[in-house]
Amino acid sequence: MEGRIRTVQTPAKSRRSQACNQCRVKKIRYRAVECVVTARRRPRPVARQNNEPADLSRSTHKIEDLLQAPAEGNTTPAVNQITPGPNPSPNPSANHPTITKSPTFIYHHPDGQVVQPLADVHPSPAVHDEQNIEDEGSSVYTAEAPNLEYYGPRSILSIFSKPAVAWVMSKVKAPGFSIVALRFVTDVSRTLKINDNNKLPSSRAPEPPPEIAWQYAKAFFEEAPVQLFGIVDRVWFESRLRAHLNNSMPDDPSYYALRNIIWATGSRIVHSKTANSFNETWRTAWAWFENALAVHTEVIFLGSFMTVVQVLILMAYYSDSIGKTSLQYMLCSDAMRLACAKGLHRQPARSWNISPHEVSHRNWMFWSIYCLEKQICSRSGRPSSIDDDEISAIIPERALSGQLNDTIYCHVSIELMRLSSTTKKRLSSAKALRQTPAQLIETVRSLSQELDALKKSLQHIIVLDAPIELSQLPQGTTVRQAQLLQAYYFSLVLDINTPLAYPWSGVRESVEQDMTALAQIEASCNAVANVSRAGILATRQIRVDVSCTALVATYTPTYCFSNLFLHILRDPSTAQSDLVLLDMALGYFSNIEFVTNLEMPFRFVREMCQFARLAVEEMQKAKETIYDMDPSQSTPLSRDNMIDMLASETLDNFSLHEDELFRWLPDDNVESWGTLLPFVDSIDSVL
């Protein structure tokens, strides 16, 4: 090129039948003589009069480098790296993937050290529909080499995404929140994999003595919440266990896994009532869970029976209990896939020749895994394994046990999770995320009405939004069962209303002139605040032990705590009483740390309580600065006075913050004043 680009004159109507990749990415008509993507024949752009030679030369060299990249061993197609503008600076670490604008991408080393994400040194790949990227702005993507974990923009972790952290930091006006958010997301991602040297033990735990085995089996059938669905027939299992202990029947992998997972579940129930430590009880039960996990591949791929479906369901429910490892998402997906492979999602036809009792058993098995699967997908923001339109299995009128309380629990759980599935589809799917603000508001209003109607239809059975009173529960219903139903309800209220309550979503700003829409946004904000308060108050009745589910013990309290924290920053009118509730939540999570001997730390709760108090203090100071001035003695600050104040030597004593400063400026001059002060509370360090 020799520092100069030679122009080529082309006929006005000359076109090629195939455009280059650069043209396809930018979606423009690219006039060139050689518009063919090959390493030997590169595009030769037509020079424009206003272009500077240096810019053209830089662009040409960039295209040359990109086209020559495959020859140098780079297997990434060049089209994925072409972006307009000058060459980006070299990547400081070639081992890290490109950090795109969203979702939030978080790194940490295997040794546990948290690493701030790299700067955006490489531009994001060109996308045909940029709306698809913007829809994921509140999602979170964690990376712990070699593990990657994704959390959708409507999941609980969305409050620790980049836009959320930026908004919180603008309110807190103190450094450090981004580190707190990063550490919390990292800690959550670590629980999704087995971290014991990243491998299962080579030896298996011995089976319990016969008397202990019978004790664990009895506790499972009488007290395990999952058994309310009648997953395993007690008469069949006990006869099989008796034969196994007498060595009168050959063993098989599916029954081996089934009895071990039943022992694991039963042992947690038994030892949670004794003085045994949490960690000791957890390790004892986990050993039998690992026995079942050891034959996971064998039971699925080497001839699976209906027993295998039962095993996977029980393993998924076992993993959903409080603990330092949470494998329920993958186990639940396996269970749902295998259940569908056995046709459990369909109502059996008469031609299948299945007895009515077996039909009822199949249906209850399916709905048990349906409830857990939909709840897990709601928590993680990940897609479900099955669409509700594919389900024809009916909900049996009575539980297999024949107990009324079991029937009530199962029916209420299914109805709440069916609405949760609808909420996930209408608010969190890729299509739903592209709704206009008006459509989103209408969707939230419709779902809120459905939930309200469901709540009213259940009031004669159980009150979901009030403190649990044992005397008012249906006969036979335990406090733990009522807490599960209440946790389902609290989570569902938050799932429906938080899309309008989160201030960084920008929904309120887009409908400022629509009073009806603003009323729905305000109603959603109030619903989020009220249910968050109720969820924190409900922790007073939670007995933390190894048999407690993660939904009741950690997920719902964390969900409520985080949203009340955001409500304090958004509306400080009730800040003092809400701060007391945050302290109450801190006491609850501190109790979990004590019970688990710090195996489950909740440092972020303590830190967020401090951030909430700092934010309230800052807002109170700002309010006193503005409203405590004597109107008869003070005059509004003009722009000239403001400039004099900023230029004076007493700038350090100037008490107004960024938001307050912009409130003083004329509306038509806000943009011109944007670079007046180099505010130190920058969001460049956000996740």
Side-chain angles (χ1 to χ4, degrees):
M1 297 294 175
E2 300 294 337
R4 184 179 64 182
I5 300 299
R6 182 173 57 187
T7 61
V8 178
Q9 301 296 330
T10 60
K13 296 184 179 181
S14 175
R15 291 180 174 84
R16 298 196 59 85
S17 61
Q18 181 180 5
C20 68
N21 286 342
Q22 177 79 347
C23 300
R24 290 187 184 131
V25 171
K26 298 179 67 176
K27 291 187 177 181
I28 61 173
R29 295 171 58 190
Y30 189 79
R31 296 180 296 170
V33 176
E34 296 178 356
C35 191
V36 179
V37 178
T38 106
R40 299 178 182 177
R41 304 175 64 191
R42 55 184 177 271
R44 298 170 59 185
V46 178
R48 296 182 180 179
Q49 295 180 357
N50 295 332
N51 283 359
E52 293 294 332
D55 294 336
L56 290 175
S57 177
R58 186 162 54 248
S59 300
T60 304
H61 285 304
K62 180 182 66 174
I63 296 175
E64 288 178 5
D65 295 338
L66 291 172
L67 291 176
Q68 293 172 3
E72 299 173 358
N74 184 5
T75 59
T76 304
V79 64
N80 289 337
Q81 303 180 24
I82 297 177
T83 53
N87 281 335
S89 60
N91 191 347
S93 176
N95 295 329
H96 290 282
T98 300
I99 307 299
T100 57
K101 179 177 180 181
S102 59
T104 303
F105 201 71
I106 299 174
Y107 290 96
H108 50 84
H109 292 308
D111 60 3
Q113 181 181 1
V114 177
V115 181
Q116 285 283 6
L118 296 175
D120 195 359
V121 294
H122 282 305
S124 303
V127 179
H128 293 292
D129 185 2
E130 293 187 1
Q131 181 67 25
N132 292 336
I133 279 188
E134 296 301 326
D135 293 338
E136 293 289 337
S138 295
S139 56
V140 177
Y141 198 49
T142 67
E144 179 181 10
N147 299 324
L148 302 176
E149 299 295 342
Y150 168 83
Y151 306 91
R154 300 283 193 239
S155 69
I156 183 177
L157 292 185
S158 65
I159 60 179
F160 298 106
S161 62
K162 179 180 290 186
V165 171
W167 182 85
V168 171
M169 291 182 66
S170 70
K171 295 294 183 181
V172 173
K173 302 184 185 300
F177 182 78
S178 60
I179 302 300
V180 173
L182 188 147
R183 187 193 304 123
F184 174 72
V185 175
T186 300
D187 291 342
V188 171
S189 67
R190 288 190 183 128
T191 65
L192 304 180
K193 297 292 182 288
I194 298 176
N195 295 318
D196 295 336
N197 299 322
N198 293 321
K199 62 181 181 180
L200 293 173
S202 55
S203 60
R204 299 183 184 178
E207 296 186 355
E211 62 276 8
I212 302 298
W214 284 109
Q215 182 185 14
Y216 292 163
K218 180 176 181 292
F220 169 81
F221 284 106
E222 294 181 358
E223 300 183 50
V226 64
Q227 187 55 22
L228 298 177
F229 289 94
I231 305 300
V232 182
D233 183 84
R234 183 172 185 174
V235 175
W236 171 84
F237 178 82
E238 289 181 345
S239 63
R240 185 69 188 265
L241 179 60
R242 190 175 295 106
H244 167 74
L245 296 176
N246 294 334
N247 295 321
S248 59
M249 181 177 292
D251 202 1
D252 64 80
S254 61
Y255 179 68
Y256 172 83
L258 180 63
R259 67 174 181 266
N260 272 276
I261 192 59
I262 287 179
W263 288 336
T265 305
S267 68
R268 291 196 310 193
I269 297 174
V270 171
H271 294 297
S272 65
K273 302 175 182 179
T274 63
N276 290 12
S277 68
F278 180 95
N279 294 336
E280 180 183 352
T281 302
W282 190 90
R283 284 193 296 268
T284 301
W286 181 259
W288 288 313
F289 173 80
E290 285 184 332
N291 285 353
L293 194 62
V295 295
H296 174 267
T297 302
E298 185 176 355
V299 297
I300 292 180
F301 296 107
L302 299 182
S304 59
F305 303 96
M306 197 62 70
T307 307
V308 180
V309 181
Q310 298 172 336
V311 169
L312 293 177
I313 293 174
L314 297 184
M315 291 178 69
Y317 270 93
Y318 176 91
S319 298
D320 195 47
S321 294
I322 184 174
K324 59 182 181 180
T325 305
S326 303
L327 308 178
Q328 61 268 41
Y329 178 76
M330 298 305 299
L331 291 172
C332 200
S333 299
D334 289 344
M336 179 61 77
R337 292 295 185 187
L338 189 57
C340 292
K342 301 297 183 183
L344 268 63
H345 64 302
R346 297 292 195 182
Q347 184 65 20
R350 292 184 179 180
S351 59
W352 294 14
N353 295 324
I354 300 178
S355 65
H357 177 79
E358 183 63 22
V359 169
S360 181
H361 188 203
R362 289 168 55 95
N363 290 350
W364 279 124
M365 287 173 60
F366 172 79
W367 287 111
S368 69
I369 196 60
Y370 175 93
C371 289
L372 181 60
E373 202 261 357
K374 295 299 182 181
Q375 173 58 218
I376 293 174
C377 291
S378 173
R379 300 183 215 173
S380 62
R382 300 171 181 173
S384 173
S385 301
I386 187 171
D387 191 282
D388 285 20
D389 294 338
E390 299 292 336
I391 301 171
S392 63
I394 65 172
I395 304 174
E397 293 183 0
R398 296 187 65 83
L400 292 176
S401 64
Q403 300 294 325
L404 178 60
N405 61 296
D406 293 353
T407 303
I408 291 175
Y409 173 83
C410 294
H411 281 188
V412 175
S413 298
I414 293 171
E415 291 303 322
L416 288 171
M417 288 303 98
R418 290 174 73 175
L419 183 54
S420 177
S421 178
T422 302
T423 300
K424 176 76 169 56
K425 186 174 183 179
R426 296 180 61 184
L427 291 178
S428 304
S429 65
K431 180 180 179 181
L433 292 175
R434 291 192 289 270
Q435 295 179 99
T436 65
Q439 292 172 335
L440 176 62
I441 292 172
E442 182 58 34
T443 301
V444 171
R445 179 185 293 110
S446 175
L447 291 171
S448 298
Q449 292 173 352
E450 291 185 42
L451 179 59
D452 189 61
L454 176 60
K455 182 186 68 173
K456 291 180 180 179
S457 68
L458 299 174
Q459 282 184 347
H460 68 285
I461 300 175
I462 183 173
V463 180
L464 296 173
D465 57 351
I468 297 174
E469 296 290 343
L470 187 60
S471 60
Q472 298 179 1
L473 295 177
Q475 185 178 4
T477 301
T478 65
V479 173
R480 186 61 55 85
Q481 294 169 10
Q483 289 172 339
L484 280 167
L485 297 178
Q486 195 173 65
Y488 284 145
Y489 173 77
F490 288 161
S491 300
L492 187 51
V493 173
L494 294 176
D495 290 342
I496 291 175
N497 291 281
T498 49
L500 299 184
Y502 288 160
W504 57 86
S505 64
V507 177
R508 181 185 292 271
E509 289 75 9
S510 62
V511 294
E512 288 182 344
Q513 305 302 322
D514 190 341
M515 300 306 297
T516 303
L518 291 176
Q520 179 58 49
I521 293 176
E522 191 65 24
S524 293
C525 292
N526 292 334
V528 169
N530 291 332
V531 81
S532 297
R533 297 181 183 111
I536 292 176
L537 290 173
T539 59
R540 297 175 299 174
Q541 297 177 292
I542 299 177
R543 181 179 182 270
V544 179
D545 57 54
V546 74
S547 66
C548 193
T549 65
L551 174 68
V552 172
T554 57
Y555 174 77
T556 303
T558 302
Y559 205 2
C560 294
F561 170 84
S562 302
N563 278 283
L564 188 59
F565 169 80
L566 295 176
H567 176 75
I568 292 174
L569 303 189
R570 181 179 58 245
D571 180 13
S573 59
T574 58
Q576 297 305 320
S577 60
D578 289 339
L579 286 174
V580 174
L581 287 175
L582 292 190
D583 289 339
M584 185 181 297
L586 174 60
Y588 169 77
F589 286 109
S590 298
N591 180 52
I592 294 180
E593 292 180 328
F594 175 77
V595 170
T596 62
N597 195 23
L598 296 179
E599 287 287 341
M600 297 180 63
F602 288 90
R603 291 176 296 177
F604 84 99
V605 175
R606 189 172 292 103
E607 293 163 334
M608 288 178 68
C609 286
Q610 181 63 22
F611 282 123
R613 293 190 179 278
L614 289 175
V616 171
E617 291 176 1
E618 291 293 335
M619 288 184 284
Q620 186 63 30
K621 290 179 182 179
K623 182 178 179 180
E624 293 174 356
T625 302
I626 297 175
Y627 296 106
D628 287 352
M629 299 175 62
D630 186 358
S632 62
Q633 300 294 331
S634 61
T635 57
L637 288 177
S638 65
R639 186 165 69 177
D640 293 336
N641 291 336
M642 181 68 73
I643 294 176
D644 293 338
M645 291 178 62
L646 296 175
S648 66
E649 297 180 357
T650 60
L651 181 61
D652 293 338
N653 297 326
F654 186 55
S655 61
L656 292 182
H657 293 284
E658 179 179 2
D659 293 342
E660 300 158 6
L661 171 63
F662 287 152
R663 194 180 301 120
W664 288 91
L665 302 181
D667 293 340
D668 56 346
N669 289 327
V670 171
E671 291 297 332
S672 63
W673 283 68
T675 57
L676 180 63
L677 285 177
F679 292 108
V680 296
D681 288 338
S682 173
I683 63 172
D684 293 339
S685 62
V686 180
L687 301 180

